[in-house]
Amino acid sequence: MGGKYRITGDAYPRMRRPRHRRRLVLAGIGAVVALSLAGWGTLQLIDVFTGGDKSASAADHKRDCPTPKPSAASAKALPKPASIKVNVYNATTRSGLAKSAAEELKKRGFTIGEVGNATKAYDKKVPGTGVLVGAPTATNGSFTVLGTQLAGTVQKTDTRRTGEVDLILGTKFKAFSTPQEATAAMAALTKPAPAPSSSC
């Protein structure tokens, strides 16, 4: 061979590998190490700013915030049927309706007052099942209890100062709710309200 690769004597030229490939490998390893360190540092910063161990925080939060217990005082207080005096009036053309209705209410524990025909203001002018008339204080008491006995009644208040309630039977009146239905409706009304959700 001629030139610089010419063999002279017993010495042979040394063929070296290019060095640029080794540099690329070292650069790649260095980049991986740098990215790993950067990721680890980021996680440490997140732990610092979020308060560290989330499970411990949740346990402390649960311990400091006890579960609220339902209160029996939240049950709605309603008057007993015996404390409600009911005047029963018939606004229909069916005779004897007020008397039979009053007898049924008496069996269910209500106190009965006057029984007879409705006044001209209501006579044959009640298209529904009935109208309940009483003082404004009866709205959330006597009206509610008496309403469990007859669905679809309309409530009206006047200026009376007594606690008695008028039940004026209308054209669509056929029968009172069954005792089972009335009892279930009363139980639903006196059921304690759900406990408020905790703000902890």
Short mmCIF file of all heavy atoms in Angstrom, two decimals, residues 11-82:
data_model
loop_
_atom_site.label_atom_id
_atom_site.label_comp_id
_atom_site.label_asym_id
_atom_site.label_seq_id
_atom_site.Cartn_x
_atom_site.Cartn_y
_atom_site.Cartn_z
N ALA A 11 5.92 -2.72 11.52
CA ALA A 11 4.89 -1.91 12.22
C ALA A 11 3.68 -1.74 11.34
O ALA A 11 3.82 -1.45 10.15
CB ALA A 11 5.48 -0.56 12.62
N TYR A 12 2.49 -1.90 11.94
CA TYR A 12 1.21 -1.75 11.18
C TYR A 12 0.46 -0.51 11.68
O TYR A 12 0.50 -0.17 12.86
CB TYR A 12 0.33 -2.99 11.38
CG TYR A 12 0.92 -4.24 10.81
CD1 TYR A 12 1.74 -5.07 11.58
CD2 TYR A 12 0.68 -4.58 9.47
CE1 TYR A 12 2.30 -6.22 11.04
CE2 TYR A 12 1.24 -5.74 8.96
CZ TYR A 12 2.04 -6.56 9.71
OH TYR A 12 2.59 -7.70 9.20
N PRO A 13 -0.18 0.14 10.79
CA PRO A 13 -0.96 1.35 11.23
C PRO A 13 -2.12 0.93 12.13
O PRO A 13 -2.76 -0.10 11.91
CB PRO A 13 -1.46 1.95 9.92
CG PRO A 13 -1.49 0.80 8.97
CD PRO A 13 -0.33 -0.08 9.34
N ARG A 14 -2.48 1.75 13.26
CA ARG A 14 -3.58 1.44 14.20
C ARG A 14 -4.85 2.15 13.73
O ARG A 14 -4.84 3.36 13.55
CB ARG A 14 -3.19 1.91 15.60
CG ARG A 14 -4.26 1.59 16.64
CD ARG A 14 -3.79 1.97 18.01
NE ARG A 14 -2.62 1.15 18.39
CZ ARG A 14 -1.96 1.31 19.52
NH1 ARG A 14 -2.32 2.27 20.36
NH2 ARG A 14 -0.94 0.53 19.80
N MET A 15 -5.92 1.35 13.58
CA MET A 15 -7.21 1.90 13.13
C MET A 15 -8.06 2.21 14.37
O MET A 15 -8.46 1.31 15.10
CB MET A 15 -7.94 0.86 12.26
CG MET A 15 -7.10 0.37 11.07
SD MET A 15 -6.74 1.67 9.90
CE MET A 15 -8.35 1.87 9.20
N ARG A 16 -8.32 3.48 14.65
CA ARG A 16 -9.11 3.91 15.83
C ARG A 16 -10.57 4.18 15.45
O ARG A 16 -10.84 4.68 14.38
CB ARG A 16 -8.50 5.17 16.45
CG ARG A 16 -7.11 4.93 17.02
CD ARG A 16 -6.62 6.20 17.65
NE ARG A 16 -5.29 6.01 18.23
CZ ARG A 16 -4.62 6.98 18.85
NH1 ARG A 16 -5.15 8.18 18.96
NH2 ARG A 16 -3.44 6.73 19.36
N ARG A 17 -11.49 3.85 16.43
CA ARG A 17 -12.91 4.15 16.20
C ARG A 17 -13.16 5.64 16.38
O ARG A 17 -12.53 6.28 17.20
CB ARG A 17 -13.78 3.37 17.19
CG ARG A 17 -13.74 1.86 16.97
CD ARG A 17 -14.65 1.18 17.97
NE ARG A 17 -14.63 -0.26 17.78
CZ ARG A 17 -15.33 -1.10 18.52
NH1 ARG A 17 -16.09 -0.64 19.51
NH2 ARG A 17 -15.27 -2.41 18.28
N PRO A 18 -14.08 6.14 15.65
CA PRO A 18 -14.42 7.57 15.84
C PRO A 18 -14.92 7.82 17.25
O PRO A 18 -15.64 7.01 17.83
CB PRO A 18 -15.53 7.80 14.81
CG PRO A 18 -15.41 6.67 13.84
CD PRO A 18 -14.84 5.53 14.59
N ARG A 19 -14.55 8.98 17.80
CA ARG A 19 -14.93 9.29 19.18
C ARG A 19 -16.31 9.93 19.32
O ARG A 19 -16.84 10.05 20.42
CB ARG A 19 -13.89 10.23 19.79
CG ARG A 19 -12.52 9.58 19.94
CD ARG A 19 -11.57 10.53 20.61
NE ARG A 19 -10.25 9.93 20.79
CZ ARG A 19 -9.23 10.56 21.38
NH1 ARG A 19 -9.39 11.81 21.81
NH2 ARG A 19 -8.08 9.95 21.51
N HIS A 20 -16.94 10.39 18.22
CA HIS A 20 -18.20 11.13 18.34
C HIS A 20 -19.35 10.24 18.85
O HIS A 20 -20.28 10.70 19.49
CB HIS A 20 -18.58 11.77 17.01
CG HIS A 20 -18.84 10.77 15.92
ND1 HIS A 20 -17.83 10.20 15.18
CD2 HIS A 20 -20.02 10.26 15.47
CE1 HIS A 20 -18.36 9.37 14.29
NE2 HIS A 20 -19.70 9.39 14.45
N ARG A 21 -19.33 8.93 18.62
CA ARG A 21 -20.39 8.04 19.10
C ARG A 21 -20.36 7.93 20.62
O ARG A 21 -21.39 7.90 21.28
CB ARG A 21 -20.21 6.67 18.47
CG ARG A 21 -21.34 5.69 18.81
CD ARG A 21 -21.17 4.38 18.08
NE ARG A 21 -21.22 4.60 16.63
CZ ARG A 21 -21.02 3.63 15.71
NH1 ARG A 21 -20.73 2.39 16.15
NH2 ARG A 21 -21.08 3.89 14.43
N ARG A 22 -19.17 7.86 21.19
CA ARG A 22 -19.04 7.79 22.64
C ARG A 22 -19.57 9.07 23.29
O ARG A 22 -20.22 9.02 24.32
CB ARG A 22 -17.58 7.59 23.01
CG ARG A 22 -17.35 7.39 24.51
CD ARG A 22 -15.89 7.24 24.82
NE ARG A 22 -15.32 6.09 24.09
CZ ARG A 22 -14.02 5.82 24.08
NH1 ARG A 22 -13.17 6.62 24.71
NH2 ARG A 22 -13.56 4.77 23.42
N ARG A 23 -19.33 10.18 22.66
CA ARG A 23 -19.82 11.44 23.20
C ARG A 23 -21.36 11.49 23.21
O ARG A 23 -21.99 11.99 24.14
CB ARG A 23 -19.28 12.61 22.39
CG ARG A 23 -17.77 12.79 22.55
CD ARG A 23 -17.30 13.90 21.65
NE ARG A 23 -15.84 14.09 21.75
CZ ARG A 23 -15.15 14.94 21.01
NH1 ARG A 23 -15.80 15.67 20.09
NH2 ARG A 23 -13.85 15.06 21.16
N LEU A 24 -21.98 10.95 22.17
CA LEU A 24 -23.45 10.92 22.10
C LEU A 24 -24.04 10.07 23.22
O LEU A 24 -25.05 10.43 23.84
CB LEU A 24 -23.91 10.38 20.74
CG LEU A 24 -23.68 11.32 19.54
CD1 LEU A 24 -24.09 10.61 18.25
CD2 LEU A 24 -24.48 12.62 19.71
N VAL A 25 -23.42 8.92 23.50
CA VAL A 25 -23.91 8.05 24.56
C VAL A 25 -23.81 8.74 25.91
O VAL A 25 -24.74 8.71 26.73
CB VAL A 25 -23.12 6.73 24.57
CG1 VAL A 25 -23.50 5.89 25.79
CG2 VAL A 25 -23.38 5.95 23.28
N LEU A 26 -22.69 9.38 26.17
CA LEU A 26 -22.51 10.08 27.44
C LEU A 26 -23.49 11.24 27.58
O LEU A 26 -24.03 11.49 28.67
CB LEU A 26 -21.06 10.59 27.55
CG LEU A 26 -19.97 9.50 27.69
CD1 LEU A 26 -18.57 10.15 27.66
CD2 LEU A 26 -20.18 8.69 28.96
N ALA A 27 -23.74 11.93 26.50
CA ALA A 27 -24.68 13.04 26.54
C ALA A 27 -26.09 12.55 26.85
O ALA A 27 -26.86 13.18 27.59
CB ALA A 27 -24.66 13.80 25.21
N GLY A 28 -26.47 11.40 26.26
CA GLY A 28 -27.81 10.83 26.52
C GLY A 28 -27.98 10.44 27.98
O GLY A 28 -29.02 10.69 28.60
N ILE A 29 -26.94 9.79 28.55
CA ILE A 29 -27.00 9.40 29.95
C ILE A 29 -27.13 10.62 30.85
O ILE A 29 -27.90 10.65 31.82
CB ILE A 29 -25.77 8.57 30.32
CG1 ILE A 29 -25.78 7.23 29.56
CG2 ILE A 29 -25.72 8.32 31.83
CD1 ILE A 29 -24.52 6.42 29.74
N GLY A 30 -26.38 11.65 30.53
CA GLY A 30 -26.44 12.88 31.33
C GLY A 30 -27.82 13.52 31.28
O GLY A 30 -28.33 14.03 32.28
N ALA A 31 -28.47 13.48 30.10
CA ALA A 31 -29.80 14.08 29.97
C ALA A 31 -30.82 13.32 30.81
O ALA A 31 -31.69 13.90 31.47
CB ALA A 31 -30.22 14.07 28.50
N VAL A 32 -30.72 11.97 30.81
CA VAL A 32 -31.65 11.16 31.61
C VAL A 32 -31.49 11.46 33.10
O VAL A 32 -32.47 11.60 33.85
CB VAL A 32 -31.43 9.66 31.33
CG1 VAL A 32 -32.23 8.81 32.31
CG2 VAL A 32 -31.82 9.33 29.89
N VAL A 33 -30.26 11.57 33.56
CA VAL A 33 -30.00 11.87 34.97
C VAL A 33 -30.55 13.24 35.34
O VAL A 33 -31.17 13.44 36.39
CB VAL A 33 -28.49 11.78 35.26
CG1 VAL A 33 -28.20 12.28 36.69
CG2 VAL A 33 -27.99 10.36 35.08
N ALA A 34 -30.37 14.22 34.45
CA ALA A 34 -30.86 15.58 34.72
C ALA A 34 -32.37 15.61 34.81
O ALA A 34 -32.96 16.25 35.69
CB ALA A 34 -30.35 16.53 33.62
N LEU A 35 -33.05 14.89 33.91
CA LEU A 35 -34.53 14.85 33.94
C LEU A 35 -35.03 14.16 35.21
O LEU A 35 -36.03 14.57 35.80
CB LEU A 35 -35.05 14.12 32.70
CG LEU A 35 -34.93 14.89 31.37
CD1 LEU A 35 -35.36 13.99 30.21
CD2 LEU A 35 -35.78 16.16 31.41
N SER A 36 -34.35 13.11 35.63
CA SER A 36 -34.74 12.41 36.85
C SER A 36 -34.64 13.33 38.07
O SER A 36 -35.53 13.38 38.92
CB SER A 36 -33.88 11.17 37.06
OG SER A 36 -34.03 10.27 35.97
N LEU A 37 -33.53 14.06 38.15
CA LEU A 37 -33.36 14.99 39.27
C LEU A 37 -34.40 16.09 39.25
O LEU A 37 -34.93 16.49 40.29
CB LEU A 37 -31.95 15.59 39.22
CG LEU A 37 -30.80 14.61 39.53
CD1 LEU A 37 -29.45 15.32 39.31
CD2 LEU A 37 -30.91 14.10 40.96
N ALA A 38 -34.73 16.58 38.05
CA ALA A 38 -35.74 17.64 37.94
C ALA A 38 -37.11 17.14 38.39
O ALA A 38 -37.85 17.82 39.08
CB ALA A 38 -35.79 18.14 36.50
N GLY A 39 -37.47 15.89 38.01
CA GLY A 39 -38.75 15.32 38.42
C GLY A 39 -38.82 15.12 39.92
O GLY A 39 -39.84 15.41 40.55
N TRP A 40 -37.76 14.63 40.50
CA TRP A 40 -37.73 14.43 41.95
C TRP A 40 -37.88 15.74 42.70
O TRP A 40 -38.61 15.85 43.68
CB TRP A 40 -36.42 13.74 42.33
CG TRP A 40 -36.30 13.48 43.81
CD1 TRP A 40 -36.84 12.45 44.51
CD2 TRP A 40 -35.59 14.28 44.75
NE1 TRP A 40 -36.53 12.55 45.84
CE2 TRP A 40 -35.75 13.68 46.02
CE3 TRP A 40 -34.83 15.45 44.66
CZ2 TRP A 40 -35.20 14.21 47.17
CZ3 TRP A 40 -34.27 15.97 45.81
CH2 TRP A 40 -34.46 15.35 47.05
N GLY A 41 -37.19 16.78 42.22
CA GLY A 41 -37.30 18.10 42.84
C GLY A 41 -38.72 18.65 42.74
O GLY A 41 -39.24 19.27 43.67
N THR A 42 -39.39 18.41 41.61
CA THR A 42 -40.78 18.88 41.45
C THR A 42 -41.71 18.22 42.44
O THR A 42 -42.58 18.86 43.05
CB THR A 42 -41.26 18.60 40.01
OG1 THR A 42 -40.37 19.24 39.08
CG2 THR A 42 -42.68 19.12 39.81
N LEU A 43 -41.56 16.92 42.65
CA LEU A 43 -42.40 16.20 43.62
C LEU A 43 -42.18 16.73 45.04
O LEU A 43 -43.14 16.83 45.82
CB LEU A 43 -42.08 14.70 43.57
CG LEU A 43 -42.53 13.96 42.30
CD1 LEU A 43 -42.07 12.50 42.34
CD2 LEU A 43 -44.05 14.02 42.16
N GLN A 44 -40.95 17.05 45.36
CA GLN A 44 -40.68 17.59 46.69
C GLN A 44 -41.37 18.93 46.89
O GLN A 44 -41.92 19.22 47.96
CB GLN A 44 -39.15 17.75 46.88
CG GLN A 44 -38.40 16.43 46.91
CD GLN A 44 -38.87 15.53 48.03
OE1 GLN A 44 -39.05 15.97 49.15
NE2 GLN A 44 -39.10 14.26 47.72
N LEU A 45 -41.36 19.77 45.86
CA LEU A 45 -42.03 21.07 45.95
C LEU A 45 -43.54 20.91 46.10
O LEU A 45 -44.20 21.63 46.85
CB LEU A 45 -41.71 21.91 44.70
CG LEU A 45 -40.28 22.45 44.60
CD1 LEU A 45 -40.06 23.14 43.26
CD2 LEU A 45 -40.01 23.42 45.75
N ILE A 46 -44.12 19.93 45.39
CA ILE A 46 -45.57 19.69 45.49
C ILE A 46 -45.95 19.28 46.90
O ILE A 46 -46.95 19.73 47.47
CB ILE A 46 -46.00 18.61 44.47
CG1 ILE A 46 -45.88 19.18 43.04
CG2 ILE A 46 -47.43 18.15 44.74
CD1 ILE A 46 -46.16 18.14 41.96
N ASP A 47 -45.14 18.40 47.52
CA ASP A 47 -45.41 17.97 48.88
C ASP A 47 -45.35 19.14 49.86
O ASP A 47 -46.14 19.22 50.80
CB ASP A 47 -44.40 16.89 49.31
CG ASP A 47 -44.70 15.54 48.66
OD1 ASP A 47 -45.84 15.39 48.18
OD2 ASP A 47 -43.81 14.69 48.63
N VAL A 48 -44.41 20.05 49.62
CA VAL A 48 -44.26 21.20 50.51
C VAL A 48 -45.49 22.10 50.45
O VAL A 48 -46.04 22.53 51.46
CB VAL A 48 -42.98 21.99 50.16
CG1 VAL A 48 -42.96 23.32 50.92
CG2 VAL A 48 -41.75 21.17 50.51
N PHE A 49 -45.97 22.37 49.24
CA PHE A 49 -47.07 23.33 49.07
C PHE A 49 -48.45 22.72 49.29
O PHE A 49 -49.42 23.43 49.50
CB PHE A 49 -47.01 23.97 47.69
CG PHE A 49 -45.89 24.96 47.54
CD1 PHE A 49 -44.74 24.64 46.82
CD2 PHE A 49 -45.95 26.20 48.14
CE1 PHE A 49 -43.70 25.54 46.69
CE2 PHE A 49 -44.93 27.12 48.02
CZ PHE A 49 -43.79 26.79 47.31
N THR A 50 -48.59 21.40 49.25
CA THR A 50 -49.90 20.78 49.47
C THR A 50 -50.05 20.25 50.87
O THR A 50 -51.08 19.65 51.21
CB THR A 50 -50.12 19.61 48.48
OG1 THR A 50 -49.05 18.68 48.60
CG2 THR A 50 -50.19 20.13 47.06
N GLY A 51 -49.11 20.43 51.72
CA GLY A 51 -49.26 20.04 53.11
C GLY A 51 -48.76 18.66 53.44
O GLY A 51 -49.08 18.13 54.49
N GLY A 52 -48.06 18.03 52.56
CA GLY A 52 -47.43 16.75 52.87
C GLY A 52 -48.39 15.60 52.76
O GLY A 52 -49.10 15.44 51.79
N ASP A 53 -48.49 14.77 53.78
CA ASP A 53 -49.24 13.51 53.77
C ASP A 53 -50.73 13.77 53.77
O ASP A 53 -51.30 14.24 54.75
CB ASP A 53 -48.84 12.68 54.99
CG ASP A 53 -49.38 11.26 54.88
OD1 ASP A 53 -50.12 10.98 53.94
OD2 ASP A 53 -49.04 10.45 55.76
N LYS A 54 -51.40 13.44 52.67
CA LYS A 54 -52.85 13.68 52.56
C LYS A 54 -53.63 12.74 53.44
O LYS A 54 -54.68 13.08 53.97
CB LYS A 54 -53.29 13.53 51.10
CG LYS A 54 -52.70 14.59 50.20
CD LYS A 54 -53.22 14.41 48.78
CE LYS A 54 -52.65 15.48 47.85
NZ LYS A 54 -53.13 15.30 46.46
N SER A 55 -53.17 11.50 53.60
CA SER A 55 -53.90 10.54 54.42
C SER A 55 -53.92 10.98 55.87
O SER A 55 -54.92 10.84 56.57
CB SER A 55 -53.26 9.15 54.29
OG SER A 55 -51.90 9.19 54.73
N ALA A 56 -52.82 11.56 56.35
CA ALA A 56 -52.78 12.04 57.72
C ALA A 56 -53.72 13.21 57.91
O ALA A 56 -54.41 13.32 58.91
CB ALA A 56 -51.34 12.43 58.10
N SER A 57 -53.77 14.11 56.91
CA SER A 57 -54.66 15.26 56.99
C SER A 57 -56.11 14.81 57.03
O SER A 57 -56.93 15.35 57.76
CB SER A 57 -54.43 16.18 55.79
OG SER A 57 -53.11 16.67 55.82
N ALA A 58 -56.46 13.81 56.22
CA ALA A 58 -57.83 13.31 56.20
C ALA A 58 -58.20 12.69 57.54
O ALA A 58 -59.31 12.86 58.03
CB ALA A 58 -58.01 12.29 55.07
N ALA A 59 -57.28 11.95 58.15
CA ALA A 59 -57.55 11.33 59.44
C ALA A 59 -57.77 12.38 60.51
O ALA A 59 -58.68 12.29 61.33
CB ALA A 59 -56.40 10.40 59.82
N ASP A 60 -56.91 13.42 60.51
CA ASP A 60 -57.06 14.51 61.48
C ASP A 60 -58.38 15.22 61.29
O ASP A 60 -59.06 15.59 62.24
CB ASP A 60 -55.89 15.50 61.36
CG ASP A 60 -54.58 14.85 61.77
OD1 ASP A 60 -54.62 13.83 62.49
OD2 ASP A 60 -53.52 15.37 61.36
N HIS A 61 -58.76 15.44 60.03
CA HIS A 61 -60.00 16.14 59.71
C HIS A 61 -61.21 15.36 60.22
O HIS A 61 -62.13 15.91 60.80
CB HIS A 61 -60.10 16.32 58.19
CG HIS A 61 -61.33 17.03 57.74
ND1 HIS A 61 -61.49 18.39 57.87
CD2 HIS A 61 -62.46 16.55 57.17
CE1 HIS A 61 -62.66 18.73 57.39
NE2 HIS A 61 -63.29 17.63 56.96
N LYS A 62 -61.17 14.03 60.02
CA LYS A 62 -62.29 13.19 60.46
C LYS A 62 -62.38 13.16 61.97
O LYS A 62 -63.46 13.14 62.56
CB LYS A 62 -62.10 11.78 59.90
CG LYS A 62 -63.28 10.87 60.17
CD LYS A 62 -63.08 9.54 59.48
CE LYS A 62 -64.27 8.61 59.70
NZ LYS A 62 -64.09 7.31 59.04
N ARG A 63 -61.22 13.17 62.66
CA ARG A 63 -61.21 13.12 64.11
C ARG A 63 -61.73 14.43 64.70
O ARG A 63 -62.44 14.43 65.70
CB ARG A 63 -59.79 12.84 64.60
CG ARG A 63 -59.69 12.71 66.11
CD ARG A 63 -58.31 12.30 66.57
NE ARG A 63 -57.29 13.27 66.19
CZ ARG A 63 -56.39 13.06 65.24
NH1 ARG A 63 -56.37 11.94 64.57
NH2 ARG A 63 -55.48 13.99 64.97
N ASP A 64 -61.41 15.55 64.09
CA ASP A 64 -61.82 16.85 64.61
C ASP A 64 -63.27 17.18 64.29
O ASP A 64 -63.82 18.12 64.84
CB ASP A 64 -60.92 17.96 64.03
CG ASP A 64 -59.48 17.79 64.50
OD1 ASP A 64 -59.29 17.12 65.54
OD2 ASP A 64 -58.57 18.30 63.84
N CYS A 65 -63.90 16.45 63.37
CA CYS A 65 -65.27 16.75 62.94
C CYS A 65 -66.16 15.55 63.25
O CYS A 65 -66.29 14.65 62.43
CB CYS A 65 -65.28 17.07 61.45
SG CYS A 65 -66.92 17.56 60.88
N PRO A 66 -66.78 15.48 64.43
CA PRO A 66 -67.61 14.32 64.78
C PRO A 66 -68.86 14.24 63.94
O PRO A 66 -69.36 15.24 63.45
CB PRO A 66 -67.95 14.58 66.27
CG PRO A 66 -67.85 16.06 66.40
CD PRO A 66 -66.73 16.49 65.47
N THR A 67 -69.38 13.02 63.77
CA THR A 67 -70.59 12.81 63.00
C THR A 67 -71.79 13.36 63.76
O THR A 67 -72.00 13.02 64.93
CB THR A 67 -70.81 11.30 62.75
OG1 THR A 67 -69.65 10.80 62.08
CG2 THR A 67 -72.04 11.06 61.90
N PRO A 68 -72.60 14.25 63.12
CA PRO A 68 -73.77 14.81 63.82
C PRO A 68 -74.81 13.74 64.08
O PRO A 68 -75.03 12.85 63.27
CB PRO A 68 -74.28 15.87 62.84
CG PRO A 68 -73.78 15.43 61.51
CD PRO A 68 -72.47 14.75 61.75
N LYS A 69 -75.47 13.82 65.23
CA LYS A 69 -76.51 12.88 65.59
C LYS A 69 -77.87 13.51 65.38
O LYS A 69 -78.05 14.70 65.64
CB LYS A 69 -76.34 12.46 67.05
CG LYS A 69 -75.02 11.72 67.33
CD LYS A 69 -74.94 11.33 68.79
CE LYS A 69 -73.64 10.59 69.08
NZ LYS A 69 -73.53 10.22 70.50
N PRO A 70 -78.86 12.71 64.89
CA PRO A 70 -80.20 13.27 64.71
C PRO A 70 -80.80 13.68 66.05
O PRO A 70 -80.61 13.01 67.06
CB PRO A 70 -80.98 12.10 64.08
CG PRO A 70 -80.21 10.88 64.44
CD PRO A 70 -78.77 11.29 64.53
N SER A 71 -81.52 14.77 66.04
CA SER A 71 -82.12 15.28 67.25
C SER A 71 -83.61 15.00 67.26
O SER A 71 -84.32 15.27 66.29
CB SER A 71 -81.87 16.80 67.35
OG SER A 71 -82.56 17.34 68.45
N ALA A 72 -84.10 14.49 68.38
CA ALA A 72 -85.53 14.20 68.50
C ALA A 72 -86.33 15.49 68.54
O ALA A 72 -87.52 15.52 68.24
CB ALA A 72 -85.78 13.38 69.77
N ALA A 73 -85.68 16.60 68.91
CA ALA A 73 -86.40 17.87 68.99
C ALA A 73 -86.78 18.40 67.62
O ALA A 73 -87.57 19.32 67.50
CB ALA A 73 -85.52 18.89 69.72
N SER A 74 -86.16 17.84 66.56
CA SER A 74 -86.46 18.31 65.22
C SER A 74 -87.80 17.79 64.69
O SER A 74 -88.25 18.19 63.63
CB SER A 74 -85.34 17.90 64.25
OG SER A 74 -85.22 16.49 64.23
N ALA A 75 -88.44 16.86 65.43
CA ALA A 75 -89.73 16.34 65.02
C ALA A 75 -90.78 17.44 65.14
O ALA A 75 -90.77 18.23 66.08
CB ALA A 75 -90.11 15.14 65.88
N LYS A 76 -91.70 17.47 64.20
CA LYS A 76 -92.73 18.50 64.19
C LYS A 76 -93.80 18.18 65.22
O LYS A 76 -94.37 17.09 65.23
CB LYS A 76 -93.36 18.58 62.79
CG LYS A 76 -94.33 19.74 62.62
CD LYS A 76 -94.82 19.81 61.20
CE LYS A 76 -95.76 20.99 61.01
NZ LYS A 76 -96.24 21.08 59.62
N ALA A 77 -94.08 19.12 66.12
CA ALA A 77 -95.08 18.92 67.17
C ALA A 77 -96.45 19.32 66.64
O ALA A 77 -96.66 20.46 66.21
CB ALA A 77 -94.71 19.73 68.40
N LEU A 78 -97.39 18.40 66.65
CA LEU A 78 -98.75 18.65 66.19
C LEU A 78 -99.74 18.33 67.30
O LEU A 78 -99.49 17.47 68.14
CB LEU A 78 -99.07 17.79 64.96
CG LEU A 78 -98.28 18.13 63.68
CD1 LEU A 78 -98.56 17.09 62.60
CD2 LEU A 78 -98.64 19.52 63.17
N PRO A 79 -100.88 19.03 67.34
CA PRO A 79 -101.87 18.76 68.39
C PRO A 79 -102.52 17.38 68.23
O PRO A 79 -102.61 16.85 67.14
CB PRO A 79 -102.89 19.89 68.20
CG PRO A 79 -102.76 20.28 66.76
CD PRO A 79 -101.31 20.11 66.43
N LYS A 80 -102.95 16.83 69.34
CA LYS A 80 -103.66 15.57 69.32
C LYS A 80 -105.09 15.79 68.82
O LYS A 80 -105.66 16.86 69.02
CB LYS A 80 -103.69 14.94 70.72
CG LYS A 80 -102.33 14.66 71.31
CD LYS A 80 -101.61 13.56 70.54
CE LYS A 80 -100.27 13.22 71.18
NZ LYS A 80 -99.56 12.17 70.43
N PRO A 81 -105.69 14.78 68.18
CA PRO A 81 -107.08 14.93 67.70
C PRO A 81 -108.05 15.34 68.80
O PRO A 81 -108.97 16.14 68.56
CB PRO A 81 -107.40 13.54 67.15
CG PRO A 81 -106.08 13.00 66.71
CD PRO A 81 -105.11 13.50 67.73
N ALA A 82 -107.85 14.84 70.03
CA ALA A 82 -108.77 15.15 71.12
C ALA A 82 -108.76 16.64 71.48
O ALA A 82 -109.75 17.16 72.02
CB ALA A 82 -108.43 14.31 72.36
#
